[in-house]
Amino acid sequence: MTDDRTARGLRRRHLLGLPMGLALAGLARAQPADNLAFVGQDNYIFAAWDSLTTPDWKGINATVARVAQVGQLLAAKGVALVVPVLPDKMRIYEEKLPADKPMSPEMRQRYAGILSRLQAAGVATFDDEKLLIALKAAGQPVYYRTDQHWAQPAADATAQATADLIRQKVPNLAGQPGTGMALGPLINERRYGDLADRFLSPEQRRAVGREIYSVRRAGDGESLLADAPSPVHVTGNSMVQPYFGFPQKLSNLLDRPVSVNWKPGDVGFWRVLLEYVESNAFRQQKPQALVWQLFEPNFHLGPDARGLWDSASVVSAEEWQRRIQAALA
């Protein structure tokens, strides 16, 4: 690898750090821990803030409409929007739910309903639930047992599907071949997952135990500090932070630099998108493709979901609409 390829995978603000949770901080402050997570079979831990019975189709439809509008506004600027929706851990590991917390037939169809609505609205997306269920059937880990976050095989598989869709939407990415990030080796770390660490008592944590996290380090001569222009940008929650490897894998597959901005899940995907499209980086050089990562469990929440997003992140639907239109005008 030559020196001019060094450190071109991700921008300076995207330092590799310890994972931050998807947990909803507003809920965490308002409710006792046993209302925020529960332990299922084989010590699998699940977030308790999502429903197991009834999808919020009204909220889902509102989100679909906003996402479709963002796609149209971006397209007018020459930016292709790609929207991977990550499926709920409870759906992937339904057999690990406690016997007294079954998932309803309606909830089993929620992801399919979200996907079909997005596709009908013209949003570029793909069936990540099908992809990750197949990955699990092949014996690969999808979500960590004591954590809300995905494992490396799931991040890699989703990055592959995302890269394939980007190539369909943008056949000719700007930049030079050889500028993608080289992937380093996997290393193992033993620790508690975020759900265990944040929401279980010390006794419960000892009972469920730590688990092994396999994460990918940067390749030799590579760095997560870079200033090279990126034709692809990723925005989303902590699933797409560099610790879990999604942006690095996407950069490697596309063979181009990929930039990313992310926040913990309690900030909300509406605020994270605003942060990027209102930034100087976006104004000065727009990407050819914007990857907006969404998450099934909170897909139905609007920008004004008080008590569910962090209070500083809440914005009225009208204000969000005004700002997104101004940023993409």
Side-chain angles (χ1 to χ4, degrees):
M1 182 182 305
T2 59
D3 289 342
D4 65 351
R5 284 189 58 191
T6 300
R8 288 191 178 179
L10 299 169
R11 291 184 181 276
R12 171 168 290 118
R13 61 184 178 275
H14 313 135
L15 291 170
L16 180 65
L18 291 176
M20 298 183 68
L22 288 160
L24 304 184
L27 282 174
R29 287 190 293 269
Q31 301 184 37
D34 58 1
N35 288 336
L36 291 168
F38 58 86
V39 181
Q41 299 182 47
D42 299 324
N43 287 324
Y44 272 74
I45 306 178
F46 299 93
W49 51 75
D50 193 18
S51 173
L52 282 163
T53 57
T54 307
D56 179 359
W57 292 118
K58 181 179 179 180
I60 287 169
N61 289 337
T63 294
V64 168
R66 291 189 183 102
V67 172
Q69 181 194 31
V70 169
Q72 293 163 3
L73 292 170
L74 285 168
K77 293 292 184 181
V79 180
L81 179 66
V82 173
V83 182
V85 181
L86 278 53
D88 193 344
K89 177 181 177 179
M90 289 192 288
R91 176 70 181 96
I92 302 297
Y93 290 101
E94 184 180 351
E95 78 281 1
K96 301 298 185 182
L97 290 170
D100 63 345
K101 294 183 184 294
M103 179 173 282
S104 72
E106 292 79 11
M107 288 300 291
R108 292 191 192 102
Q109 294 302 312
R110 181 175 64 175
Y111 187 93
I114 291 172
L115 184 68
S116 64
R117 284 164 169 79
L118 286 171
Q119 291 172 333
V123 176
T125 186
F126 55 88
D127 192 342
D128 203 40
E129 181 186 72
K130 180 179 179 180
L131 186 69
L132 299 190
I133 287 176
L135 194 69
K136 176 180 169 238
Q140 295 293 319
V142 174
Y143 288 104
Y144 286 107
R145 178 176 55 85
T146 66
D147 203 297
Q148 184 78 333
H149 292 92
W150 56 4
Q152 191 71 64
D156 285 354
T158 303
Q160 180 69 68
T162 303
D164 292 344
L165 190 51
I166 289 172
R167 290 192 188 100
Q168 292 177 27
K169 303 292 290 184
V170 188
N172 298 306
L173 285 173
Q176 297 299 315
T179 56
M181 176 167 276
L183 300 179
L186 292 175
I187 66 163
N188 292 331
E189 300 176 348
R190 185 172 180 268
R191 58 182 180 80
Y192 290 116
D194 64 346
L195 294 175
D197 189 53
R198 299 182 68 175
F199 301 130
L200 298 189
S201 68
E203 294 76 15
Q204 289 174 312
R205 280 197 297 274
R206 284 193 293 270
V208 300
R210 294 177 173 87
E211 61 181 313
I212 301 298
Y213 285 68
S214 294
V215 294
R216 185 179 289 118
R217 290 303 190 200
D220 292 341
E222 292 288 337
S223 170
L224 294 180
L225 306 176
D227 292 314
S230 301
V232 176
H233 182 84
V234 175
T235 187
N237 63 27
S238 52
M239 292 287 199
V240 298
Q241 64 178 293
Y243 181 85
F244 294 107
F246 175 85
Q248 297 97 307
K249 182 68 172 181
L250 186 62
S251 173
N252 178 266
L253 291 167
L254 294 172
D255 197 20
R256 294 293 188 277
V258 169
S259 57
V260 59
N261 75 298
W262 67 274
K263 287 288 190 294
D266 63 327
V267 172
F269 51 91
W270 307 109
R271 174 67 71 169
V272 181
L273 178 68
L274 276 180
E275 178 186 88
Y276 175 58
V277 298
E278 291 180 338
S279 70
N280 288 332
F282 180 78
R283 284 193 291 267
Q284 292 169 5
Q285 183 165 340
K286 294 175 176 57
Q288 291 173 278
L290 174 58
V291 178
W292 190 10
Q293 172 262 316
L294 303 180
F295 193 37
E296 180 190 358
N298 58 24
F299 187 94
H300 62 286
L301 298 179
D304 54 353
R306 295 188 181 278
L308 298 172
W309 300 133
D310 178 78
S311 59
S313 304
V314 173
V315 59
S316 72
E318 295 76 17
E319 178 67 6
W320 188 88
Q321 182 81 7
R322 183 193 67 77
R323 289 173 62 180
I324 203 73
Q325 288 181 324
L328 300 179

